[in-house]
């Protein structure tokens, strides 16, 4: 099975940028959708960006125009380029797949430890 490890988080000032990486232990080429999720303090984990293996992307409105998700099949890695960061972007960021099941959208793999993004003024 695929194992996912997130990295690239850190402390950044408002308006700054970060690039997050999600490294897979196996090939992600067969995974149709990969997504980035965040969990802010005291809140549930939520989806912020999705990319298909064909390159189609979707974003939640709060990050649209600021974040860009991409994937590199040769490196088995998914990226999240984060620009114009705001304090409300502060959260732990995770990656996983995104699969449609009868109950709705779900994930297939164990959650990693995520990577902390802190936007501080």
């Amino acid at each position: 099975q695929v194992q996912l490890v997130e990295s690239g988080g850190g402390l950044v000032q408002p308006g700054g940028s970060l690039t997050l990486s999600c490294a897979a232990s196996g090939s992600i080429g067969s995974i149709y959708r990969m997504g980035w999720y965040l969990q802010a303090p005291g809140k549930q984990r939520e989806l912020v960006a999705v990319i298909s293996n064909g390159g189609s992307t979707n974003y939640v409105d709060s990050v649209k125009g600021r974040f860009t998700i991409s994937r590199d099949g040769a490196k088995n890695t998914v990226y999240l380029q984060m620009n114009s960061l705001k304090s409300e972007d502060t959260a732990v960021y995770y990656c996983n797949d995104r699969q449609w099941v009868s109950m709705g959208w779900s994930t297939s793999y164990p959650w990693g430890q995520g990577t902390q993004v802190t936007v501080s003024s």
Side-chain angles (χ1 to χ4, degrees):
Q1 67 173 0
V2 173
Q3 292 181 307
L4 304 168
V5 179
E6 302 91 348
S7 63
L11 177 64
V12 64
Q13 297 182 48
S17 298
L18 285 172
T19 300
L20 308 184
S21 297
C22 172
S25 61
S27 175
I28 61 170
S30 62
I31 303 175
Y32 182 57
R33 298 182 186 88
M34 290 293 298
W36 280 97
Y37 304 74
L38 66 80
Q39 187 167 23
K43 297 183 179 180
Q44 293 186 327
R45 187 182 288 112
E46 65 179 276
L47 180 73
V48 296
V50 172
I51 186 167
S52 74
N53 60 4
S56 298
T57 60
N58 285 104
Y59 305 88
V60 296
D61 289 342
S62 61
V63 308
K64 194 171 296 183
R66 299 190 297 120
F67 292 7
T68 302
I69 187 171
S70 61
R71 61 194 294 172
D72 187 335
K75 297 181 179 179
N76 295 321
T77 302
V78 182
Y79 303 95
L80 186 67
Q81 176 65 50
M82 310 166 70
N83 298 322
S84 302
L85 283 161
K86 306 174 181 179
S87 60
E88 50 263 45
D89 297 320
T90 296
V92 179
Y93 286 74
Y94 303 85
C95 65
N96 216 313
D97 73 334
R98 185 163 173 81
Q99 180 177 313
W100 179 256
V101 295
S102 61
M103 293 294 294
W105 294 103
S106 186
T107 56
S108 299
Y109 307 103
W111 295 105
Q113 292 187 315
T115 186
Q116 175 72 51
V117 172
T118 302
V119 185
S120 177
S121 61

